[in-house]
């Protein structure tokens, strides 16, 4: 039985509401404190969602609600110039899902709220005070909150990370700026298919929407890092004009961007990757989600890993007698997995910034690389991962629990 009975959660994005809900399920009360003035229901574009992330959400009974708002893409292919390679489907795997970050955030927030979690907005954490028996969060409006532990779910630019270890690394720039949009085009794209496309000058991806439009995302190599605010300041018209030039010779990239209206275009800004963080916790403070392991958008695992870690942290807090033991077990379980996936993401990012010679060679290598049993086994292992919620993290004993079968749409895989 845990000696921890209360938690302060900093950040109400994706990991925040999930860890709060899972803690409730573990009989630990928590409130969420978010810097934004309210739920970010309208910010963010599509993000990839993997089977392992959905399986983790099934533990807190919100997997099906997320499946309902996600778009299933049973087929994935890679296009290098005019050469298209269908990526092997992994047996028994749910389809790749794309979900608007704002929809995911809304579903997770509403579910946490329905389980009794309270969200406090316009509460930017600025400092903490620690005592032997508690931790107090101090917010920018001067207000305070005290609990047994404080969980930093405060994203890639985490303050809690620096409060744990002032020497902690910052997220690094991948050398890519992100953009997204929705186009109305006359040339049809492959139905129910995600296409990862290596264009002549830059990488992009696209997928069809049920309403007939085509959604796309672009990763533009850039020597200069731009925050979201800096990138947005240049305006949608200017970025669309730059992207039209970059993708002009790509099919269908050129047509997609030429047929995207400024109001259907979103600037994501500089894309980040988190180097390994030496200290995941200290005393009564601990990190979860992008604050400790943002694996780069190239993996399609950012949100899924954040959710897995949130649930694993709640499980460890439920089963260990004190915070240091729970935090150590949590880190032991999660660190190898998230660092391996981040390393894979870093390799993909290098491929996105390839020079012209390597780009010409890619059609030769890609089918070989993706067809190998080793690569397929690694991807299957990533997605087959399940958190053992019904097994006690401290003793290893398994309690019988109703076997829950998640509702699945026919994936075609
Ligand atoms: C507004 C927004 C839009 C995004 N859009 C996309 C997208 O389009 N595509 C994509 O792939 N990923 C996007 N992401 C990132 C994606 O949500 C995360 O990579 C992933 O889901 C992990 O979630 P997280 O909860 O760890 O971090 P995040 O989702 O980044 O959430 C962190 C939360 O902490 C809050 N916060 C930060 N500092 C403090 C503080 N000092 N005090 C209180 N609160 C604080 C932030 O406001 C934020 O709500 C976006 C993130 C945000 C915040």
């Amino acid at each position: 039985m845990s000696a921890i009975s209360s938690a302060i959660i900093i950040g109400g994005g994706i990991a925040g509401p999930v860890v709060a809900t899972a803690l409730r399920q573990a009989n630990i009360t928590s409130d969420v404190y978010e810097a934004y003035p309210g739920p970010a229901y309208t910010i963010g574009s599509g993000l990839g969602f993997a089977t392992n992330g959905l399986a983790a959400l099934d533990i807190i009974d919100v997997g099906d609600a997320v499946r309902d708002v996600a778009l299933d893409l049973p087929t994935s292919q890679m296009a290098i110039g005019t050469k298209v390679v269908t990526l092997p489907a992994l047996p028994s795997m749910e389809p790749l899902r794309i979900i608007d970050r704002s929809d995911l955030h809304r579903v997770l927030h509403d579910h946490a709220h329905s389980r009794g979690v309270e969200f406090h907005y316009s509460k930017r954490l600025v400092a903490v005070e620690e005592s032997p028996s508690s931790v107090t969060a101090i917010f920018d409006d001067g207000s305070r909150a005290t609990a047994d532990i404080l969980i930093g779910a405060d994203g890639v630019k985490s303050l809690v990370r620096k409060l744990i270890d002032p020497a902690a690394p910052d997220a690094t720039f991948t050398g890519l700026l992100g953009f997204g949009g929705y186009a109305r085009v006359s040339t049809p794209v492959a139905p129910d298919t995600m296409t990862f496309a290596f264009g002549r000058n830059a990488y992009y991806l696209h997928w069809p929407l049920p309403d007939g439009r085509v959604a796309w995302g672009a990763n533009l190599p850039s020597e200069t890092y731009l925050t979201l605010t800096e990138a947005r300041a240049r305006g949608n018209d200017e970025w669309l004009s730059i992207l039209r030039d970059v993708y002009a010779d790509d099919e269908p990239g050129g047509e997609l961007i030429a047929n995207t209206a400024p109001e259907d275009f979103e600037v994501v800004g500089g894309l980040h990757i988190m180097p390994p963080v030496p200290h995941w916790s200290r005393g009564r403070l601990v990190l979860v989600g992008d604050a400790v392991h943002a694996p780069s958008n190239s993996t399609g695992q950012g949100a899924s890993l954040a959710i897995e870690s949130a649930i694993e942290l709640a499980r460890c807090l439920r089963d260990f007698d004190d915070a240091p033991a729970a935090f150590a077990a949590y880190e032991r379980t999660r660190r190898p997995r998230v660092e391996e996936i981040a390393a894979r993401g870093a390799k993909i990012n290098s491929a996105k910034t390839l020079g012209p010679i390597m780009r010409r060679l890619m059609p030769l290598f890609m089918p070989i690389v993706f067809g190998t049993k080793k690569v397929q086994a690694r991807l299957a292992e990533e997605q087959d991962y399940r958190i053992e919620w019904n097994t006690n993290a401290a003793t290893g004993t398994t309690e019988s629990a109703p076997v829950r079968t998640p509702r699945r749409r026919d994936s075609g895989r």
Side-chain angles (χ1 to χ4, degrees), residues 181-186 204 214 216 237 239-262 264-265:
Y182 302 102
R184 291 199 178 277
V185 289
S186 49
Y204 66 107
V214 179
W216 58 268
D237 286 322
W239 281 119
L240 274 169
S241 157
I242 292 169
L243 294 175
R244 268 178 212 126
D245 286 346
V246 171
Y247 293 99
D249 296 332
D250 295 324
E251 183 59 49
E255 192 189 355
L256 289 175
I257 292 156
N259 289 289
T260 298
D264 292 331
F265 175 69

Side-chain angles (χ1 to χ4, degrees), residues 24-61:
R24 285 252 149 188
Q25 217 158 296
N27 290 322
I28 297 171
T29 59
S30 63
D31 279 9
V32 178
Y33 296 84
E34 166 59 48
Y36 274 117
Y41 283 171
T42 55
I43 314 177
S45 57
L47 49 80
F49 213 82
T51 305
N52 49 293
L54 282 163
L57 288 180
D58 285 332
I59 292 170
I60 55 165
D61 297 323

Side-chain angles (χ1 to χ4, degrees), residues 10-16 33-36 40 43-47 101 123-125 153-156 159 268 288-291 297 302-303 306:
I10 304 299
I14 304 300
Y33 296 84
E34 166 59 48
Y36 274 117
I43 314 177
S45 57
L47 49 80
R101 196 262 182 195
K123 297 282 179 193
R124 179 171 292 281
L125 180 80
D154 51 345
V156 79
L159 172 67
V268 180
V288 73
D290 273 11
N297 63 316

